[in-house]
Amino acid sequence: MSELLNYHRYLFQWHCRKFFRFRRFLSEAEKAYLETCFALARSFREVSESGYEHYSYYSYSHRVQGDTVNSSRLAYGSVSHPEPALQAALPVIREHSIELDAYFLESPNSKFYGLGWDIQEEQFKIYFRVPAVQHLPATLNHLLREYALEDHREEGLVSFTYTRNQLSESKIYLYPKSSLNLPAGAQGQASMLSDQRGLVKQYDLSQPEQWAERISPPGQRILRLYRELDEELDTIQYQDQENYTLYFP
C-alpha cells in the first residue's frame, strides 16, 4: 500500500473528525469513487499534458460567511489518470440521475477531471479539463463573450453544479497568462465565469501568511487546525474579511 494512498485516506478521516462527517452522507458508489482516486494519485501535485502545474486533483474547502462556516465541501479526481477516474465516476453520475452532454464524454477536447460535493447546500459537481476553451459547445460559448481568450492559457476547466440533481450552475475556469496586478501574496489566478454569478476570482497563494491577517476569526481557527498537518492555505476566493472560501491544498 503506497504512502500516498495512506495519506489521502488519513486526510479524509482527519476532515471527518475535525470538520464534517462526510461518510455519513456519501453513498457506497461515492465512497468507492473516492477510494479509486486515492489509489490513482501518484504525486501531491499532478501536471497537465501542457505542463500546467496549478491543478489540484483534490480539495477540501471551507466557505465562511460571517459567523457561518460550511466545511462540507469536498472534491477529488485525477489529472494523470482521467479515464480510470471517469469509469469510477460514472456509477455516481448515474446514481444522481444526471445525463451529461455527450461532448464531454466523447470529444478529444474534454478530459474528465473530478467530482465534488457541497453536502450542506445539497450540491453535486462534475469537472472536465478542456485543452482548448475556444472549442467548447455553443451552449457554453456565451460565457466567454466578454473575455479576451488570447490573454489566457488555451486550456481551462468546465464545471457543472447540480442542486438536488437539477443543473443549477455552469462554469468555465480561465487561467490568465500574466501574473501582473495580482494582490500581495498571490502567485496565480483562476477566473471563474459563472452563468449565475458572473466573474469570480480565485487566487493561488505564494505567501499564505499574508492572507491570514485578512480573514475573520472562524477562518483563523481553520488555519490553526491545518497547522496540525503542516498544511498551509493554498487558494482563496476572497470577497472581504467576513466572506471568503478557503481551499486546501
Side-chain angles (χ1 to χ4, degrees):
M1 189 178 298
S2 75
E3 180 180 347
L4 197 54
L5 172 60
N6 280 334
Y7 169 80
H8 283 293
R9 285 177 173 168
Y10 175 78
L11 190 63
F12 179 76
Q13 294 293 350
W14 184 83
H15 280 85
C16 288
R17 293 196 309 272
K18 299 291 185 178
F19 293 110
F20 186 82
R21 296 189 179 277
F22 289 104
R23 281 195 172 276
R24 294 185 178 182
F25 298 89
L26 297 174
S27 70
E28 292 305 313
E30 290 171 324
K31 294 173 188 175
Y33 167 79
L34 289 175
E35 188 66 21
T36 296
C37 293
F38 298 166
L40 288 174
R42 293 296 178 266
S43 172
F44 291 106
R45 289 283 188 183
E46 295 186 344
V47 179
S48 75
E49 296 82 356
S50 72
Y52 188 61
E53 299 179 348
H54 294 289
Y55 289 123
S56 294
Y57 66 88
Y58 67 103
S59 178
Y60 296 86
S61 59
H62 310 263
R63 176 163 289 166
V64 179
Q65 296 172 303
D67 293 329
T68 301
V69 180
N70 176 2
S71 293
S72 70
R73 298 160 52 89
L74 164 70
Y76 257 92
S78 177
V79 175
S80 300
H81 299 91
E83 188 54 36
L86 173 61
Q87 293 308 309
L90 288 175
V92 179
I93 294 170
R94 288 193 293 267
E95 190 174 67
H96 284 268
S97 303
I98 291 170
E99 290 190 17
L100 290 167
D101 185 330
Y103 176 93
F104 292 99
L105 299 177
E106 300 171 3
S107 170
N109 191 43
S110 172
K111 298 179 184 295
F112 178 75
Y113 182 38
L115 301 180
W117 296 262
D118 184 330
I119 294 171
Q120 183 175 308
E121 296 295 329
E122 299 183 77
Q123 291 180 342
F124 175 68
K125 304 176 184 183
I126 308 175
Y127 298 88
F128 295 92
R129 290 189 296 119
V130 286
V133 293
Q134 68 269 32
H135 297 310
L136 285 170
T139 52
L140 291 172
N141 281 342
H142 67 284
L143 292 175
L144 300 170
R145 286 175 187 159
E146 298 179 13
Y147 298 91
L149 292 184
E150 63 272 15
D151 295 335
H152 298 80
R153 296 182 64 88
E154 187 175 14
E155 66 184 305
L157 287 181
V158 171
S159 170
F160 300 104
T161 297
Y162 298 85
T163 303
R164 293 181 290 279
N165 296 340
Q166 298 298 313
L167 181 63
S168 56
E169 186 176 25
S170 299
K171 296 171 286 187
I172 300 173
Y173 293 78
L174 300 180
Y175 302 96
K177 294 177 181 177
S178 173
S179 59
L180 297 177
N181 302 317
L182 289 174
Q187 64 178 337
Q189 174 186 311
S191 298
M192 185 184 82
L193 315 179
S194 164
D195 63 357
Q196 301 298 315
R197 292 178 280 164
L199 172 64
V200 178
K201 295 181 180 180
Q202 298 178 351
Y203 297 109
D204 293 323
L205 305 183
S206 57
Q207 297 174 295
E209 66 278 2
Q210 290 194 20
W211 288 83
E213 302 169 359
R214 301 172 60 182
I215 61 176
S216 57
Q220 296 282 355
R221 174 185 172 274
I222 291 169
L223 297 185
R224 286 195 298 271
L225 284 170
Y226 276 93
R227 291 190 190 112
E228 295 180 7
L229 301 177
D230 293 324
E231 290 278 3
E232 294 281 359
L233 178 63
D234 182 79
T235 302
I236 191 168
Q237 179 183 308
Y238 189 84
Q239 183 177 342
D240 56 46
Q241 189 172 11
E242 299 291 327
N243 298 277
Y244 48 86
T245 304
L246 307 175
Y247 296 85
F248 300 84

